[in-house]
Amino acid sequence: MDVEMSGYEVLEIAEKIERNGVKFYRRAAGLCDDPSISTLLVQLAQWESKHIEVFRQMRERLAAEHWKLGQIEPNRIDMPDARAMAGLAVFGIQPDPTQELTGHESKADVLRLAIEKEKDSIVYYTGLKDFVPQEIDRRTIEEVIQEEMKHVRILVQSLEQIT
């Protein structure tokens, strides 16, 4: 494997992606006329904010686990830049991912777009696992994927209720 990443680095990327997700969901909430969907989108923004903290705690836990195992890596010169890697992800493809929203989307359109974003995040994290050689780090990335899957389930349920 030519390029390797640690779970710690993936979690740094995840935090940046979540920050972009917060901006996206807040903007979507502001554009939505339906109070129930707007409330859901505000909740998703709040959950993304909580994910930032969850992922930070996961990074601390992972660093402590590596420390106990004696697997502390020196600062790597070839380490991928977390901002650049997050820029390749679903909420980071463009400088402001909220530009995809016009304000004229229906409730169902907004929910479908949110589902698409969450699924794309899952695919992105699944792909990053291939660059992570340590099993302990891959398990941590799987936890990130499970968190994103919760959002997909909530969004799909909400979509089913209105269609």
Side-chain angles (χ1 to χ4, degrees), residues 116-145:
E116 179 184 319
K117 296 263 183 223
E118 296 295 338
K119 285 182 176 180
D120 287 346
S121 292
I122 292 166
V123 170
Y124 180 73
Y125 291 124
T126 300
L128 284 182
K129 281 187 355 183
D130 290 339
F131 296 98
V132 179
Q134 298 275 341
E135 180 60 31
I136 191 171
D137 292 353
R138 285 194 301 273
R139 284 194 307 266
T140 300
I141 296 167
E142 191 58 41
E143 289 179 51
V144 171
I145 292 167

Side-chain angles (χ1 to χ4, degrees), residues 46-152:
Q46 291 168 343
W47 292 336
E48 298 287 14
S49 291
K50 288 177 186 172
H51 273 168
I52 294 167
E53 179 60 22
V54 167
F55 294 160
R56 186 192 61 75
Q57 291 171 1
M58 288 170 70
R59 268 192 307 118
E60 289 176 4
R61 183 192 76 212
L62 190 61
E65 288 176 23
H66 279 286
W67 180 263
K68 282 191 264 184
L69 296 172
Q71 298 174 336
I72 301 302
E73 293 182 358
N75 289 334
R76 293 186 354 209
I77 296 172
D78 64 338
M79 182 174 89
D81 178 47
R83 277 176 291 176
M85 292 298 291
L88 300 174
V90 61
F91 282 121
I93 290 172
Q94 45 187 300
D96 181 5
T98 61
Q99 291 175 353
E100 294 178 55
L101 303 169
T102 65
H104 302 292
E105 293 83 5
S106 69
K107 298 180 282 188
D109 291 338
V110 171
L111 287 170
R112 282 186 195 102
L113 183 60
I115 290 167
E116 179 184 319
K117 296 263 183 223
E118 296 295 338
K119 285 182 176 180
D120 287 346
S121 292
I122 292 166
V123 170
Y124 180 73
Y125 291 124
T126 300
L128 284 182
K129 281 187 355 183
D130 290 339
F131 296 98
V132 179
Q134 298 275 341
E135 180 60 31
I136 191 171
D137 292 353
R138 285 194 301 273
R139 284 194 307 266
T140 300
I141 296 167
E142 191 58 41
E143 289 179 51
V144 171
I145 292 167
Q146 294 303 315
E147 287 291 323
E148 299 302 331
M149 289 176 75
K150 288 178 191 175
H151 283 190
V152 171

Side-chain angles (χ1 to χ4, degrees), residues 5-65:
M5 297 179 70
S6 70
Y8 191 91
E9 293 162 339
V10 172
L11 288 166
E12 285 182 323
I13 293 165
E15 288 177 49
K16 293 183 185 331
I17 291 169
E18 296 301 304
R19 283 186 191 91
N20 286 339
V22 169
K23 286 193 316 191
F24 176 82
Y25 286 128
R26 284 187 180 152
R27 169 94 166 132
L31 292 173
C32 190
D33 292 334
D34 184 305
S36 64
I37 299 299
S38 183
T39 299
L40 172 65
L41 291 165
V42 167
Q43 276 183 316
L44 286 168
Q46 291 168 343
W47 292 336
E48 298 287 14
S49 291
K50 288 177 186 172
H51 273 168
I52 294 167
E53 179 60 22
V54 167
F55 294 160
R56 186 192 61 75
Q57 291 171 1
M58 288 170 70
R59 268 192 307 118
E60 289 176 4
R61 183 192 76 212
L62 190 61
E65 288 176 23

